[in-house]
Amino acid sequence: MSKLRDIQNKFHNELTSIYSKEEIDTFFFMLTESYYNKNRLQLAMNFEAKIENPQAIMSALELLKNEQPIQYILGETEFYGIPFKVNRHVLIPRPETEELVDWIIDEFKNQSSELKVLDIGTGSGCIAISLSKNLPNTKVYALDVSKEALIVAKHNAELNKVEVEFIEDSILNPSDAELVSVSQKFDIIVSNPPYVRMKEKQLMKGNVLDNEPHLALFVEDNNPLLFYRAICEVAQKNLKDRGVLYCEINEYLGKDMLQLLKDYNFKRVELKQDIFNKDRMIKGVLSI
Ligand SMILES: C[S@@+](CC[C@H](N)C(=O)[O-])C[C@H]1O[C@@H](n2cnc3c(N)ncnc32)[C@H](O)[C@@H]1O
């Protein structure tokens, strides 16, 4: 048996060269809550408590030393206030994607007729599931090329008690049959596709580069809008007249994205900044 205080001290001694004091405490409390059901307040009242099975938290310490993201160690995270399982086959949902979801919910929350939504590149299912949860009367479809990601996304739909129709397909070579089988067209198509250029790799933190799926992140430097072009093609065929396309975008490609949506005949195109004032989201209304 080991005292929690001793373990916390060990965390600080061994992680201090990699993380700040606050980050180390946050990881420690997230782990004690998840593994031993003891929250921060309970621990503050009894730091001399002993735990019976310290191996679990010690293994987590080793993974943190290797800069593995805490979300993968715990196997879960939160997005838009609800829980999501994550593993190495899915991108860890980001706060900027919550802003995209928030934009859509804000614009459609008062809609009373049924909405059909397609999420392209669903990963953990975070966009599809949070939209389904927060927009009543919505039928959500979610597509990804990764079988492994879809397993996680399906699990998350069950976890959050929503029905989402999952489609395994590549947006770069979509089988029309899959989408046409969705008998009516979509009111909303949303996507957070891979958008980080290879040359931007050096700006990224080691724990993202070494752990998160490259399939979810990167595009070639010479064709950074590859996925957005494919999404616009699919949107032109599968959005209703006046249906809306929403995308998360690379902060350096806002102007190119504005032009792309205009080239594809989208109207009322709007670029939106995230809380850090970076061009991060775009929307356009299809006019046939
Ligand atoms: C940036 S991640 C976004 C994941 C999730 N929607 C989110 O916001 O956290 C991009 C997703 O696109 C998927 N993807 C990559 N290439 C694809 C393709 N050709 N067709 C469909 N999905 C693809 C990846 O598997 C990954 O799940």
PDB file of all heavy atoms in Angstrom, residues 216-243:
ATOM      1  N   ALA A 216      -5.486  11.632 -39.452  1.00  0.00           N
ATOM      2  CA  ALA A 216      -6.474  12.633 -39.038  1.00  0.00           C
ATOM      3  C   ALA A 216      -5.936  14.054 -39.167  1.00  0.00           C
ATOM      4  O   ALA A 216      -6.704  15.011 -39.151  1.00  0.00           O
ATOM      5  CB  ALA A 216      -6.894  12.379 -37.593  1.00  0.00           C
ATOM      6  N   LEU A 217      -4.612  14.183 -39.295  1.00  0.00           N
ATOM      7  CA  LEU A 217      -4.016  15.511 -39.158  1.00  0.00           C
ATOM      8  C   LEU A 217      -3.503  16.136 -40.455  1.00  0.00           C
ATOM      9  O   LEU A 217      -3.768  17.295 -40.730  1.00  0.00           O
ATOM     10  CB  LEU A 217      -2.822  15.437 -38.183  1.00  0.00           C
ATOM     11  CG  LEU A 217      -3.154  15.229 -36.712  1.00  0.00           C
ATOM     12  CD1 LEU A 217      -1.909  14.858 -35.927  1.00  0.00           C
ATOM     13  CD2 LEU A 217      -3.753  16.507 -36.135  1.00  0.00           C
ATOM     14  N   PHE A 218      -2.747  15.335 -41.251  1.00  0.00           N
ATOM     15  CA  PHE A 218      -1.875  15.971 -42.237  1.00  0.00           C
ATOM     16  C   PHE A 218      -2.365  15.936 -43.678  1.00  0.00           C
ATOM     17  O   PHE A 218      -3.027  14.993 -44.098  1.00  0.00           O
ATOM     18  CB  PHE A 218      -0.484  15.338 -42.173  1.00  0.00           C
ATOM     19  CG  PHE A 218       0.185  15.600 -40.852  1.00  0.00           C
ATOM     20  CD1 PHE A 218       0.385  14.567 -39.968  1.00  0.00           C
ATOM     21  CD2 PHE A 218       0.556  16.881 -40.488  1.00  0.00           C
ATOM     22  CE1 PHE A 218       0.964  14.809 -38.727  1.00  0.00           C
ATOM     23  CE2 PHE A 218       1.138  17.130 -39.261  1.00  0.00           C
ATOM     24  CZ  PHE A 218       1.340  16.091 -38.371  1.00  0.00           C
ATOM     25  N   VAL A 219      -1.964  17.008 -44.402  1.00  0.00           N
ATOM     26  CA  VAL A 219      -2.146  17.055 -45.856  1.00  0.00           C
ATOM     27  C   VAL A 219      -0.813  17.472 -46.482  1.00  0.00           C
ATOM     28  O   VAL A 219       0.028  18.076 -45.827  1.00  0.00           O
ATOM     29  CB  VAL A 219      -3.226  18.076 -46.296  1.00  0.00           C
ATOM     30  CG1 VAL A 219      -4.608  17.518 -46.105  1.00  0.00           C
ATOM     31  CG2 VAL A 219      -3.074  19.413 -45.584  1.00  0.00           C
ATOM     32  N   GLU A 220      -0.658  17.134 -47.769  1.00  0.00           N
ATOM     33  CA  GLU A 220       0.573  17.496 -48.480  1.00  0.00           C
ATOM     34  C   GLU A 220       0.657  19.016 -48.641  1.00  0.00           C
ATOM     35  O   GLU A 220      -0.356  19.669 -48.887  1.00  0.00           O
ATOM     36  CB  GLU A 220       0.596  16.851 -49.880  1.00  0.00           C
ATOM     37  CG  GLU A 220       0.631  15.334 -49.880  1.00  0.00           C
ATOM     38  CD  GLU A 220       1.895  14.778 -49.236  1.00  0.00           C
ATOM     39  OE1 GLU A 220       2.943  15.456 -49.265  1.00  0.00           O
ATOM     40  OE2 GLU A 220       1.825  13.666 -48.666  1.00  0.00           O
ATOM     41  N   ASP A 221       1.889  19.536 -48.547  1.00  0.00           N
ATOM     42  CA  ASP A 221       2.095  20.987 -48.680  1.00  0.00           C
ATOM     43  C   ASP A 221       1.556  21.530 -50.006  1.00  0.00           C
ATOM     44  O   ASP A 221       1.075  22.660 -50.075  1.00  0.00           O
ATOM     45  CB  ASP A 221       3.596  21.300 -48.627  1.00  0.00           C
ATOM     46  CG  ASP A 221       4.148  21.063 -47.241  1.00  0.00           C
ATOM     47  OD1 ASP A 221       3.346  20.954 -46.289  1.00  0.00           O
ATOM     48  OD2 ASP A 221       5.385  20.965 -47.105  1.00  0.00           O
ATOM     49  N   ASN A 222       1.689  20.724 -51.070  1.00  0.00           N
ATOM     50  CA  ASN A 222       1.325  21.253 -52.391  1.00  0.00           C
ATOM     51  C   ASN A 222      -0.173  21.126 -52.700  1.00  0.00           C
ATOM     52  O   ASN A 222      -0.614  21.528 -53.769  1.00  0.00           O
ATOM     53  CB  ASN A 222       2.163  20.582 -53.492  1.00  0.00           C
ATOM     54  CG  ASN A 222       1.924  19.089 -53.530  1.00  0.00           C
ATOM     55  OD1 ASN A 222       1.070  18.583 -52.789  1.00  0.00           O
ATOM     56  ND2 ASN A 222       2.648  18.385 -54.376  1.00  0.00           N
ATOM     57  N   ASN A 223      -0.935  20.543 -51.772  1.00  0.00           N
ATOM     58  CA  ASN A 223      -2.381  20.409 -52.028  1.00  0.00           C
ATOM     59  C   ASN A 223      -3.174  20.519 -50.721  1.00  0.00           C
ATOM     60  O   ASN A 223      -3.923  19.620 -50.354  1.00  0.00           O
ATOM     61  CB  ASN A 223      -2.651  19.068 -52.721  1.00  0.00           C
ATOM     62  CG  ASN A 223      -3.994  19.048 -53.428  1.00  0.00           C
ATOM     63  OD1 ASN A 223      -4.724  20.045 -53.425  1.00  0.00           O
ATOM     64  ND2 ASN A 223      -4.332  17.912 -54.017  1.00  0.00           N
ATOM     65  N   PRO A 224      -3.017  21.656 -50.021  1.00  0.00           N
ATOM     66  CA  PRO A 224      -3.578  21.737 -48.672  1.00  0.00           C
ATOM     67  C   PRO A 224      -5.104  21.753 -48.622  1.00  0.00           C
ATOM     68  O   PRO A 224      -5.689  21.471 -47.589  1.00  0.00           O
ATOM     69  CB  PRO A 224      -3.009  23.050 -48.118  1.00  0.00           C
ATOM     70  CG  PRO A 224      -2.692  23.860 -49.315  1.00  0.00           C
ATOM     71  CD  PRO A 224      -2.322  22.899 -50.407  1.00  0.00           C
ATOM     72  N   LEU A 225      -5.752  22.076 -49.760  1.00  0.00           N
ATOM     73  CA  LEU A 225      -7.220  22.147 -49.744  1.00  0.00           C
ATOM     74  C   LEU A 225      -7.868  20.889 -50.331  1.00  0.00           C
ATOM     75  O   LEU A 225      -9.086  20.870 -50.586  1.00  0.00           O
ATOM     76  CB  LEU A 225      -7.711  23.388 -50.505  1.00  0.00           C
ATOM     77  CG  LEU A 225      -7.207  24.737 -49.975  1.00  0.00           C
ATOM     78  CD1 LEU A 225      -7.906  25.878 -50.712  1.00  0.00           C
ATOM     79  CD2 LEU A 225      -7.405  24.881 -48.475  1.00  0.00           C
ATOM     80  N   LEU A 226      -7.041  19.848 -50.495  1.00  0.00           N
ATOM     81  CA  LEU A 226      -7.522  18.595 -51.078  1.00  0.00           C
ATOM     82  C   LEU A 226      -8.854  18.138 -50.488  1.00  0.00           C
ATOM     83  O   LEU A 226      -9.827  17.871 -51.205  1.00  0.00           O
ATOM     84  CB  LEU A 226      -6.448  17.516 -50.832  1.00  0.00           C
ATOM     85  CG  LEU A 226      -6.808  16.078 -51.146  1.00  0.00           C
ATOM     86  CD1 LEU A 226      -6.817  15.890 -52.657  1.00  0.00           C
ATOM     87  CD2 LEU A 226      -5.798  15.112 -50.513  1.00  0.00           C
ATOM     88  N   PHE A 227      -8.925  18.067 -49.161  1.00  0.00           N
ATOM     89  CA  PHE A 227     -10.141  17.555 -48.516  1.00  0.00           C
ATOM     90  C   PHE A 227     -11.304  18.531 -48.699  1.00  0.00           C
ATOM     91  O   PHE A 227     -12.441  18.114 -48.883  1.00  0.00           O
ATOM     92  CB  PHE A 227      -9.899  17.294 -47.027  1.00  0.00           C
ATOM     93  CG  PHE A 227      -9.128  16.014 -46.799  1.00  0.00           C
ATOM     94  CD1 PHE A 227      -7.751  16.034 -46.676  1.00  0.00           C
ATOM     95  CD2 PHE A 227      -9.792  14.797 -46.747  1.00  0.00           C
ATOM     96  CE1 PHE A 227      -7.032  14.855 -46.490  1.00  0.00           C
ATOM     97  CE2 PHE A 227      -9.086  13.611 -46.564  1.00  0.00           C
ATOM     98  CZ  PHE A 227      -7.697  13.640 -46.433  1.00  0.00           C
ATOM     99  N   TYR A 228     -11.004  19.838 -48.641  1.00  0.00           N
ATOM    100  CA  TYR A 228     -12.089  20.823 -48.745  1.00  0.00           C
ATOM    101  C   TYR A 228     -12.706  20.806 -50.144  1.00  0.00           C
ATOM    102  O   TYR A 228     -13.902  21.006 -50.304  1.00  0.00           O
ATOM    103  CB  TYR A 228     -11.577  22.222 -48.384  1.00  0.00           C
ATOM    104  CG  TYR A 228     -11.142  22.288 -46.941  1.00  0.00           C
ATOM    105  CD1 TYR A 228      -9.810  22.128 -46.585  1.00  0.00           C
ATOM    106  CD2 TYR A 228     -12.077  22.460 -45.930  1.00  0.00           C
ATOM    107  CE1 TYR A 228      -9.421  22.146 -45.264  1.00  0.00           C
ATOM    108  CE2 TYR A 228     -11.704  22.477 -44.600  1.00  0.00           C
ATOM    109  CZ  TYR A 228     -10.370  22.321 -44.275  1.00  0.00           C
ATOM    110  OH  TYR A 228      -9.997  22.334 -42.959  1.00  0.00           O
ATOM    111  N   ARG A 229     -11.851  20.576 -51.175  1.00  0.00           N
ATOM    112  CA  ARG A 229     -12.406  20.471 -52.536  1.00  0.00           C
ATOM    113  C   ARG A 229     -13.349  19.275 -52.618  1.00  0.00           C
ATOM    114  O   ARG A 229     -14.455  19.368 -53.146  1.00  0.00           O
ATOM    115  CB  ARG A 229     -11.262  20.302 -53.539  1.00  0.00           C
ATOM    116  CG  ARG A 229     -10.965  21.594 -54.228  1.00  0.00           C
ATOM    117  CD  ARG A 229      -9.930  21.505 -55.318  1.00  0.00           C
ATOM    118  NE  ARG A 229      -9.083  22.656 -55.111  1.00  0.00           N
ATOM    119  CZ  ARG A 229      -7.888  22.641 -54.592  1.00  0.00           C
ATOM    120  NH1 ARG A 229      -7.326  21.496 -54.279  1.00  0.00           N
ATOM    121  NH2 ARG A 229      -7.223  23.755 -54.404  1.00  0.00           N
ATOM    122  N   ALA A 230     -12.885  18.153 -52.047  1.00  0.00           N
ATOM    123  CA  ALA A 230     -13.715  16.936 -52.085  1.00  0.00           C
ATOM    124  C   ALA A 230     -15.017  17.173 -51.312  1.00  0.00           C
ATOM    125  O   ALA A 230     -16.093  16.740 -51.742  1.00  0.00           O
ATOM    126  CB  ALA A 230     -12.928  15.778 -51.485  1.00  0.00           C
ATOM    127  N   ILE A 231     -14.921  17.877 -50.205  1.00  0.00           N
ATOM    128  CA  ILE A 231     -16.127  18.157 -49.388  1.00  0.00           C
ATOM    129  C   ILE A 231     -17.084  19.067 -50.177  1.00  0.00           C
ATOM    130  O   ILE A 231     -18.297  18.855 -50.185  1.00  0.00           O
ATOM    131  CB  ILE A 231     -15.712  18.799 -48.043  1.00  0.00           C
ATOM    132  CG1 ILE A 231     -15.016  17.744 -47.173  1.00  0.00           C
ATOM    133  CG2 ILE A 231     -16.909  19.397 -47.321  1.00  0.00           C
ATOM    134  CD1 ILE A 231     -14.207  18.319 -46.020  1.00  0.00           C
ATOM    135  N   CYS A 232     -16.523  20.074 -50.862  1.00  0.00           N
ATOM    136  CA  CYS A 232     -17.381  20.975 -51.657  1.00  0.00           C
ATOM    137  C   CYS A 232     -18.085  20.193 -52.771  1.00  0.00           C
ATOM    138  O   CYS A 232     -19.263  20.435 -53.060  1.00  0.00           O
ATOM    139  CB  CYS A 232     -16.552  22.109 -52.264  1.00  0.00           C
ATOM    140  SG  CYS A 232     -16.104  23.364 -51.064  1.00  0.00           S
ATOM    141  N   GLU A 233     -17.367  19.266 -53.409  1.00  0.00           N
ATOM    142  CA  GLU A 233     -17.985  18.442 -54.473  1.00  0.00           C
ATOM    143  C   GLU A 233     -19.182  17.673 -53.900  1.00  0.00           C
ATOM    144  O   GLU A 233     -20.267  17.666 -54.462  1.00  0.00           O
ATOM    145  CB  GLU A 233     -16.994  17.395 -55.018  1.00  0.00           C
ATOM    146  CG  GLU A 233     -15.739  17.962 -55.654  1.00  0.00           C
ATOM    147  CD  GLU A 233     -15.946  18.405 -57.098  1.00  0.00           C
ATOM    148  OE1 GLU A 233     -16.992  18.032 -57.662  1.00  0.00           O
ATOM    149  OE2 GLU A 233     -15.093  19.149 -57.628  1.00  0.00           O
ATOM    150  N   VAL A 234     -18.939  17.008 -52.763  1.00  0.00           N
ATOM    151  CA  VAL A 234     -19.997  16.209 -52.137  1.00  0.00           C
ATOM    152  C   VAL A 234     -21.143  17.124 -51.694  1.00  0.00           C
ATOM    153  O   VAL A 234     -22.323  16.792 -51.851  1.00  0.00           O
ATOM    154  CB  VAL A 234     -19.430  15.400 -50.943  1.00  0.00           C
ATOM    155  CG1 VAL A 234     -20.536  14.863 -50.055  1.00  0.00           C
ATOM    156  CG2 VAL A 234     -18.580  14.250 -51.459  1.00  0.00           C
ATOM    157  N   ALA A 235     -20.799  18.296 -51.176  1.00  0.00           N
ATOM    158  CA  ALA A 235     -21.824  19.227 -50.702  1.00  0.00           C
ATOM    159  C   ALA A 235     -22.687  19.705 -51.867  1.00  0.00           C
ATOM    160  O   ALA A 235     -23.917  19.807 -51.743  1.00  0.00           O
ATOM    161  CB  ALA A 235     -21.172  20.407 -49.988  1.00  0.00           C
ATOM    162  N   GLN A 236     -22.060  19.973 -53.005  1.00  0.00           N
ATOM    163  CA  GLN A 236     -22.846  20.441 -54.158  1.00  0.00           C
ATOM    164  C   GLN A 236     -23.897  19.421 -54.567  1.00  0.00           C
ATOM    165  O   GLN A 236     -25.005  19.772 -54.954  1.00  0.00           O
ATOM    166  CB  GLN A 236     -21.914  20.714 -55.329  1.00  0.00           C
ATOM    167  CG  GLN A 236     -21.333  22.104 -55.275  1.00  0.00           C
ATOM    168  CD  GLN A 236     -20.794  22.550 -56.616  1.00  0.00           C
ATOM    169  OE1 GLN A 236     -20.326  21.722 -57.383  1.00  0.00           O
ATOM    170  NE2 GLN A 236     -20.862  23.829 -56.884  1.00  0.00           N
ATOM    171  N   LYS A 237     -23.533  18.130 -54.450  1.00  0.00           N
ATOM    172  CA  LYS A 237     -24.478  17.084 -54.870  1.00  0.00           C
ATOM    173  C   LYS A 237     -25.485  16.748 -53.783  1.00  0.00           C
ATOM    174  O   LYS A 237     -26.580  16.292 -54.065  1.00  0.00           O
ATOM    175  CB  LYS A 237     -23.702  15.796 -55.166  1.00  0.00           C
ATOM    176  CG  LYS A 237     -23.017  15.780 -56.498  1.00  0.00           C
ATOM    177  CD  LYS A 237     -22.684  14.319 -56.842  1.00  0.00           C
ATOM    178  CE  LYS A 237     -21.306  14.242 -57.457  1.00  0.00           C
ATOM    179  NZ  LYS A 237     -20.695  12.940 -57.364  1.00  0.00           N
ATOM    180  N   ASN A 238     -25.078  16.909 -52.518  1.00  0.00           N
ATOM    181  CA  ASN A 238     -25.886  16.316 -51.434  1.00  0.00           C
ATOM    182  C   ASN A 238     -26.502  17.304 -50.453  1.00  0.00           C
ATOM    183  O   ASN A 238     -27.203  16.894 -49.524  1.00  0.00           O
ATOM    184  CB  ASN A 238     -25.031  15.310 -50.658  1.00  0.00           C
ATOM    185  CG  ASN A 238     -24.672  14.124 -51.515  1.00  0.00           C
ATOM    186  OD1 ASN A 238     -25.505  13.269 -51.771  1.00  0.00           O
ATOM    187  ND2 ASN A 238     -23.437  14.093 -51.991  1.00  0.00           N
ATOM    188  N   LEU A 239     -26.230  18.608 -50.633  1.00  0.00           N
ATOM    189  CA  LEU A 239     -26.913  19.594 -49.775  1.00  0.00           C
ATOM    190  C   LEU A 239     -28.207  20.014 -50.450  1.00  0.00           C
ATOM    191  O   LEU A 239     -28.273  20.131 -51.681  1.00  0.00           O
ATOM    192  CB  LEU A 239     -26.045  20.847 -49.609  1.00  0.00           C
ATOM    193  CG  LEU A 239     -25.115  20.968 -48.410  1.00  0.00           C
ATOM    194  CD1 LEU A 239     -24.362  22.303 -48.488  1.00  0.00           C
ATOM    195  CD2 LEU A 239     -25.832  20.841 -47.073  1.00  0.00           C
ATOM    196  N   LYS A 240     -29.216  20.298 -49.625  1.00  0.00           N
ATOM    197  CA  LYS A 240     -30.450  20.883 -50.179  1.00  0.00           C
ATOM    198  C   LYS A 240     -30.151  22.291 -50.687  1.00  0.00           C
ATOM    199  O   LYS A 240     -29.164  22.901 -50.266  1.00  0.00           O
ATOM    200  CB  LYS A 240     -31.490  21.049 -49.064  1.00  0.00           C
ATOM    201  CG  LYS A 240     -32.081  19.767 -48.587  1.00  0.00           C
ATOM    202  CD  LYS A 240     -33.090  20.075 -47.481  1.00  0.00           C
ATOM    203  CE  LYS A 240     -33.614  18.804 -46.887  1.00  0.00           C
ATOM    204  NZ  LYS A 240     -34.304  18.999 -45.627  1.00  0.00           N
ATOM    205  N   ASP A 241     -31.051  22.824 -51.518  1.00  0.00           N
ATOM    206  CA  ASP A 241     -30.934  24.234 -51.885  1.00  0.00           C
ATOM    207  C   ASP A 241     -31.036  25.042 -50.581  1.00  0.00           C
ATOM    208  O   ASP A 241     -31.918  24.768 -49.757  1.00  0.00           O
ATOM    209  CB  ASP A 241     -32.066  24.618 -52.848  1.00  0.00           C
ATOM    210  CG  ASP A 241     -31.848  26.009 -53.405  1.00  0.00           C
ATOM    211  OD1 ASP A 241     -30.689  26.481 -53.395  1.00  0.00           O
ATOM    212  OD2 ASP A 241     -32.842  26.625 -53.817  1.00  0.00           O
ATOM    213  N   ARG A 242     -30.113  25.956 -50.359  1.00  0.00           N
ATOM    214  CA  ARG A 242     -29.980  26.757 -49.138  1.00  0.00           C
ATOM    215  C   ARG A 242     -29.493  25.929 -47.933  1.00  0.00           C
ATOM    216  O   ARG A 242     -29.580  26.369 -46.795  1.00  0.00           O
ATOM    217  CB  ARG A 242     -31.272  27.512 -48.792  1.00  0.00           C
ATOM    218  CG  ARG A 242     -31.522  28.660 -49.768  1.00  0.00           C
ATOM    219  CD  ARG A 242     -32.626  29.573 -49.291  1.00  0.00           C
ATOM    220  NE  ARG A 242     -33.948  29.007 -49.485  1.00  0.00           N
ATOM    221  CZ  ARG A 242     -34.599  29.031 -50.651  1.00  0.00           C
ATOM    222  NH1 ARG A 242     -34.047  29.590 -51.711  1.00  0.00           N
ATOM    223  NH2 ARG A 242     -35.782  28.502 -50.748  1.00  0.00           N
ATOM    224  N   GLY A 243     -28.990  24.718 -48.216  1.00  0.00           N
ATOM    225  CA  GLY A 243     -28.324  23.954 -47.163  1.00  0.00           C
ATOM    226  C   GLY A 243     -26.997  24.631 -46.814  1.00  0.00           C
ATOM    227  O   GLY A 243     -26.448  25.412 -47.605  1.00  0.00           O
TER     228      GLY A 243
END
